[in-house]
Amino acid sequence: MFRTALRNVLSHKARLLMTVLAVMLGVAFVSGTLVFTDTLGNAFRNQSAKSYDDIAVAVTTHADQRDPKSPAIDAATLKKIEALDGVATATGRVDGFAGVADPDGKLIGNGWTNTGSNFAPGKDGKDAQYTFTDGSGPTAAGSVALDEDTAKKGEYEVGDKVRVATNGPVKEYTLSGVFTTEDGAVNAGGSLVLFDTPVAQKLFLRPGQFRDVAVSAAPGTTDQQLLTAVKPLLPKDAEAKTGQARADEQADQTEAALSGLSKLLLAFAGIALFVGIFLIANTFTMLVAQRTKELALLRAVGASRRQVKRSVLLEAAVVGLIASVVGFALGLGLATGLRSAMSLIGGKIPAGPLVVAPLTVVAAFGVGVLITVLAAWLPARRAAKIPPVAAMNSQYAVATVKSLVLRNSIGGVITLLGGALVVAGAAQAGSNGQLLIAGGAFLALIGVIILIPLLSRPVIALVRPLLRRLFGVSGKLAAQNAVRNPRRTGATASALAIGLTLVTGISVLGVTLGQAVDKVTTDNIKADYMVSMASGDALDESALTALEKADGVSAVSPQQAVWLKVGGAELSASGVTPGDVQKVLTVDTVSGTVDSLGKGEIAVSDKTAKSHGWKTGDSLPVTYDVDGKKENLKVGALFKDNEFLSPVLIPRDLVAPHEDRADIREIWLKADGGASAANEQALVDALGDNPGMSIMDRQDIRDMFGGSINLAMNIMYGLLAMALIIAVLGVVNTLAMSVFERQQEIGMLRAIGLDRRKVKRMIRLEAVVISLFGAVVGIGLGMFLGWAIGQTVAAQIPQYVLVVPWSRIAVFLLLAGLVGVLAALWPARSAAKLNMLTAIKTE
């Protein structure tokens, strides 16, 4: 039986090729994902270890430049640490945002990866953290050093002038040197600028103070001994850990981040393999049908049912093993390609070997072989149950009415249960509702898959008159053939339905959320431009002053973050410019007037006022969070909640005496004539052509809020493409099997006058009908799930209204039809080439 199984694998290479492709793609995705994430994890783990290789103790504070009371490491404390027994060196560090312009004046990097730090040379004049390939470190106020990648991107050489943006005005420095580094921000595609230590302290913290300290141990001193000695010298809230502990912590953080990516990719690999099950089951059903006589003869000469079943399963195992080998090799190539792709888009992965863990090999081969064997189990069971005499007379074991009734009954119950859970989840909303929807969606999908053979007849019957009217005999025969074997048609349509359920659900949810976000932006923003730091940090107050004086600017108001305590409640407030805030943002008053801000009064959102029992005209005892001073402020207006406004609006003039440094996150402004190239250039000039500042018009703002949704949708589409490719292979398989079973019939049709062109058309139409049937089922279920998930977040998103993306759905249907046409190319050609006489004689 083993030799028989191997012979059958070799004699049906063309049929099995599609199964190999389906399993291969799934295994490639699984192995590629595991190898890629293991490789990244190992590379970053080694990088972390290398970064802390010579550090015995790492001290970290949470010092903030905006809060002068936040504890930091001062020079005196640093000297005390240096003086401890067993300390070889103690290096103080301070860092913050620093961006460098490229030759076109644009920021190199993406804001959050642009960092600046201090050059801290030892007695030998070198900083052990950096290796200089050209020049030397900055030791004067007017010089900086750049990492090698940034210098290359900016086309800078030692001695050149470099424009560097920090949270203050952009300044020009002389490039003193170029260095290499294992800094994580640089590896993520950002930049690193080194300043002389006093300059860095002034820019990022306070003169004479450090945020972090790295301590190295002298020979004979353990890390733990040094940690015990350092801790008593540190200010309150400072955290000290051994270098090894800090490296392990970073490695764990990296592993956690990669774990999310790995789970996402593996989930889509699982979807692809689930779709592949239908293709594999169809393939082995086809092979069993082709070998009915052969299996009957084996039974007649003494083979038991168990042996026949084992023979088919053995074939599946061999096919799964071959597919796993090829898929695993392809997965290694995929992992290598993903690593190279990250470098191309700006991410720099630390050097390191490709990591192939034993668990990855076991998982890849186990998944490939197990999925194939499981999918072939039902065809193998059916093959073993065919009586020898019936099989030798070409009588197939036809599914009984009872079995279909039982199947449809089970499918109906599961579908109703899944639908009920989905509706219950939509009604409950929140994370609990989403969990209910996830469970209900799974059950509903399984139930619909079970019911698809039942659904195929009435649904396809609806289009039968249209096919007959448009395509004559070919159309009529195509519709009949599509429902000739409901089980097979259902299995093929199920593969497409699964993919399109997910794609449609994502589209409905994505488009709905995108339009809700877009409407919120459009309704609440009157400004023509928003100015912010590319890093997300606070803007320097000088930027506000410059914009107020810019040509063509008619109204300017910042969003200055302020925290107030009112009657024991801590509230977020926005320091705004009276008279201008209502010109740049929508402030719909419920009572009072926003003009009262100009009189030194405050405005409160209606929801906040209602929750505290406040009303217009009330005098509130307010305590400023920064300096703790108190003041009574009158409520001059209540306004409707706005996503772009804090619960409390307060004039900036009232806040200024209580804060040394304004925390301005955004500046909104109106320009004469609206957004235009000339007005934008005027803003760029007013800000000193600062590459670290982002100037966005209204469309840019809408794209910023909605862009992440579109990006996520595109990623999902790309990942689901593999499942759809496997579904296409399934349509090819079904049509090929249909052509094989109908050789005699096709020969008869040819003999009575159906020419080759009409035979091809019949097969193509059959494929299109099956594909569109699967698409309709998937789109219907996807719309239902998209609605349900949307209901769970509707309360959190203002302006939420369900949007059905009819244009995209039309595209999905068109693509499904195209899938049918493409899938029918080979089977249609094979059917048209059949020799009529040979086909008629075929039993």
Side-chain angles (χ1 to χ4, degrees):
M1 296 304 291
F2 178 74
R3 287 198 300 271
T4 301
L6 292 180
R7 188 203 61 179
N8 287 324
V9 169
L10 295 174
S11 62
H12 297 97
K13 294 186 288 291
R15 290 278 184 270
L16 292 171
L17 178 61
M18 288 174 226
T19 295
V20 169
L21 287 173
V23 179
M24 179 190 74
L25 289 172
V27 171
F29 216 144
V30 171
S31 57
T33 296
L34 294 174
V35 170
F36 177 64
T37 51
D38 285 348
T39 298
L40 256 63
N42 182 67
F44 284 115
R45 195 174 295 108
N46 290 340
Q47 181 192 52
S48 298
K50 187 176 180 181
S51 298
Y52 289 95
D53 192 32
D54 297 323
I55 297 176
V57 175
V59 179
T60 304
T61 71
H62 302 286
D64 189 339
Q65 188 178 30
R66 294 186 301 275
D67 183 4
K69 295 180 181 178
S70 58
I73 307 294
D74 57 25
T77 302
L78 184 61
K79 286 184 178 179
K80 290 179 183 178
I81 294 173
E82 287 178 326
L84 288 173
D85 291 336
V87 172
T89 60
T91 306
R93 299 288 182 190
V94 62
D95 55 31
F97 168 73
V100 179
D102 65 13
D104 297 325
K106 303 297 182 182
L107 184 69
I108 297 173
N110 53 21
W112 65 271
T113 58
N114 300 116
T115 56
S117 188
N118 61 304
F119 176 67
K123 294 178 182 179
D124 58 357
K126 296 180 181 180
D127 189 330
Q129 196 75 17
Y130 311 104
T131 302
F132 280 80
T133 58
D134 193 13
S136 59
T139 54
S143 61
V144 294
L146 296 178
D147 69 90
E148 196 171 47
D149 288 344
T150 301
K152 186 177 180 180
K153 292 173 185 175
E155 300 178 7
Y156 293 114
E157 295 181 356
V158 173
D160 287 351
K161 295 294 183 181
V162 181
R163 298 179 70 252
V164 180
T166 56
N167 289 347
V170 65
K171 291 183 180 179
E172 203 170 70
Y173 299 85
T174 301
L175 184 62
S176 67
V178 176
F179 58 89
T180 59
T181 178
E182 293 295 330
D183 186 271
V186 176
N187 286 328
S191 62
L192 177 60
V193 184
L194 294 182
F195 299 87
D196 183 40
T197 295
V199 174
Q201 289 174 325
K202 185 177 179 182
L203 286 172
F204 304 131
L205 191 57
R206 295 180 288 273
Q209 295 191 331
F210 299 94
R211 186 172 287 116
D212 306 318
V213 175
V215 184
S216 63
T221 304
T222 66
D223 294 356
Q224 194 59 47
Q225 287 173 338
L226 211 53
L227 178 64
T228 304
V230 167
K231 276 187 175 181
L233 303 178
L234 301 179
K236 183 183 177 182
D237 297 331
E239 184 181 44
K241 291 185 178 181
T242 64
Q244 183 61 51
R246 188 71 71 187
D248 292 342
E249 188 179 81
Q250 285 193 4
D252 291 342
Q253 291 171 354
T254 300
E255 192 171 328
L258 291 175
S259 175
L261 173 64
S262 178
K263 288 176 182 176
L264 176 66
L265 294 175
L266 288 174
F268 282 95
I271 292 168
L273 287 168
F274 183 60
V275 171
I277 287 174
F278 297 97
L279 186 153
I280 297 164
N282 264 356
T283 299
F284 279 92
T285 299
M286 180 194 306
L287 293 177
V288 169
Q290 287 179 327
R291 293 163 46 207
T292 302
K293 281 192 174 182
E294 176 190 324
L295 294 174
L297 286 171
L298 288 173
R299 290 292 311 282
V301 297
S304 65
R305 286 187 176 185
R306 182 177 295 179
Q307 286 177 310
V308 171
K309 181 179 177 181
R310 192 182 299 156
S311 174
V312 177
L313 292 179
L314 185 58
E315 290 178 45
V318 171
V319 170
L321 184 62
I322 294 170
S324 298
V325 171
V326 178
F328 186 76
L330 191 62
L332 294 179
L334 179 64
T336 305
L338 286 172
R339 186 172 179 172
S340 301
M342 285 190 68
S343 300
L344 290 175
I345 62 176
K348 183 182 175 184
I349 300 174
L354 206 65
V355 177
V356 183
L359 184 61
T360 300
V361 179
V362 172
F365 280 82
V367 164
V369 175
L370 187 62
I371 289 292
T372 311
V373 171
L374 285 176
W377 181 81
L378 194 57
R381 184 170 174 269
R382 288 175 182 165
K385 289 174 67 176
I386 299 174
V389 175
M392 293 178 74
N393 287 306
S394 301
Q395 300 296 318
Y396 292 90
V398 181
T400 63
V401 175
K402 180 181 177 182
S403 68
L404 289 174
V405 169
L406 180 62
R407 172 179 176 144
N408 295 333
S409 301
I410 294 171
V413 170
I414 294 174
T415 303
L416 288 173
L417 178 60
L421 285 175
V422 170
V423 172
Q428 185 169 342
S431 57
N432 290 334
Q434 289 166 5
L435 287 173
L436 281 175
I437 290 173
F442 178 75
L443 290 176
L445 192 59
I446 295 297
V448 168
I449 289 170
I450 295 172
L451 287 175
I452 272 185
L454 173 67
L455 296 173
S456 62
R457 290 186 181 277
V459 173
I460 294 176
L462 294 174
V463 298
R464 187 179 297 170
L466 180 63
L467 290 172
R468 186 168 56 245
R469 192 177 304 116
L470 293 177
F471 302 103
V473 174
S474 296
K476 179 181 179 181
L477 291 172
Q480 290 175 343
N481 291 331
V483 294
R484 174 177 290 188
N485 190 331
R487 293 174 184 272
R488 190 189 310 141
T489 298
T492 305
S494 295
L496 280 169
I498 293 167
L500 283 172
T501 295
L502 297 172
V503 169
T504 304
I506 290 167
S507 296
V508 170
L509 187 61
V511 171
T512 298
L513 292 177
Q515 290 201 15
V517 169
D518 188 63
K519 196 170 190 319
V520 167
T521 306
T522 303
D523 290 352
N524 293 322
I525 295 176
K526 296 180 181 178
D528 296 314
Y529 293 101
M530 182 185 81
V531 176
S532 61
M533 290 298 297
S535 61
D537 292 333
L539 287 154
D540 190 79
E541 204 159 358
S542 61
L544 177 61
T545 304
L547 290 172
E548 289 172 337
K549 298 177 181 177
D551 294 337
V553 173
S554 58
V556 180
S557 180
Q559 282 268 49
Q560 179 178 338
V562 181
W563 285 96
L564 305 173
K565 291 180 181 177
V566 185
E570 195 168 82
L571 297 176
S572 168
S574 289
V576 298
T577 302
D580 281 1
V581 62
Q582 59 265 49
K583 295 177 182 178
V584 296
L585 294 169
T586 300
V587 188
D588 289 332
T589 53
V590 176
S591 63
T593 173
V594 186
D595 293 336
S596 62
L597 290 171
K599 302 175 185 177
E601 299 175 356
I602 62 174
V604 182
S605 73
D606 56 347
K607 288 185 180 178
T608 301
K610 185 177 180 180
S611 65
H612 290 86
W614 301 333
K615 59 183 184 298
T616 306
D618 285 353
S619 182
L620 305 180
V622 172
T623 303
Y624 293 94
D625 187 61
V626 174
D627 62 3
K629 292 185 178 179
K630 299 180 180 180
E631 187 175 5
N632 287 326
L633 297 177
K634 183 179 178 181
V635 179
L638 301 182
F639 63 90
K640 292 181 181 177
D641 266 28
N642 183 323
E643 291 297 304
F644 295 89
L645 291 173
S646 297
V648 178
L649 302 183
I650 182 170
R652 290 193 65 244
D653 292 343
L654 290 181
V655 180
H658 303 280
E659 295 189 347
D660 294 331
R661 185 183 177 94
D663 187 3
I664 300 174
R665 297 291 167 168
E666 304 147 6
I667 300 174
W668 302 88
L669 53 93
K670 289 281 286 183
D672 296 332
S676 66
N679 282 335
E680 185 170 342
Q681 187 58 49
L683 299 181
V684 171
D685 294 340
L687 294 170
D689 196 14
N690 191 327
M693 292 187 185
S694 170
I695 301 173
M696 292 187 283
D697 60 21
R698 294 183 73 179
Q699 186 58 51
D700 293 331
I701 296 167
R702 290 160 70 181
D703 292 342
M704 176 182 70
F705 287 102
S708 58
I709 295 173
N710 293 330
L711 176 62
M713 286 175 63
N714 291 332
I715 291 172
M716 297 292 186
Y717 289 157
L719 293 172
L720 287 170
M722 186 174 67
L724 294 176
I725 289 171
I726 294 174
V728 172
L729 296 176
V731 178
V732 175
N733 239 12
T734 295
L735 293 174
M737 183 173 182
S738 181
V739 169
F740 165 75
E741 289 180 351
R742 289 156 34 207
Q743 288 185 61
Q744 191 176 53
E745 176 189 315
I746 292 170
M748 290 293 294
L749 290 171
R750 289 289 315 284
I752 61 175
L754 195 70
D755 60 25
R756 289 186 175 184
R757 184 170 57 87
K758 290 182 179 178
V759 169
K760 285 184 179 180
R761 183 186 298 165
M762 177 183 70
I763 301 298
R764 282 197 294 265
L765 288 173
E766 183 181 342
V768 170
V769 167
I770 293 173
S771 298
L772 289 176
F773 168 57
V776 167
V777 173
I779 287 170
L781 187 56
M783 290 172 63
F784 174 57
L785 295 178
W787 162 81
I789 297 171
Q791 290 299 113
T792 64
V793 297
Q796 304 167 23
I797 301 175
Q799 312 291 343
Y800 181 93
V801 178
L802 181 70
V803 178
V804 179
W806 295 111
S807 58
R808 296 195 187 197
I809 287 173
V811 170
F812 297 158
L813 287 170
L814 185 63
L815 290 175
L818 182 61
V819 162
V821 172
L822 294 176
L825 289 176
W826 172 53
R829 185 170 177 270
S830 299
K833 287 176 67 179
L834 282 174
N835 183 289
M836 304 182 217
L837 296 177
T838 304
I840 291 172
K841 290 190 294 180
T842 301
E843 294 185 14

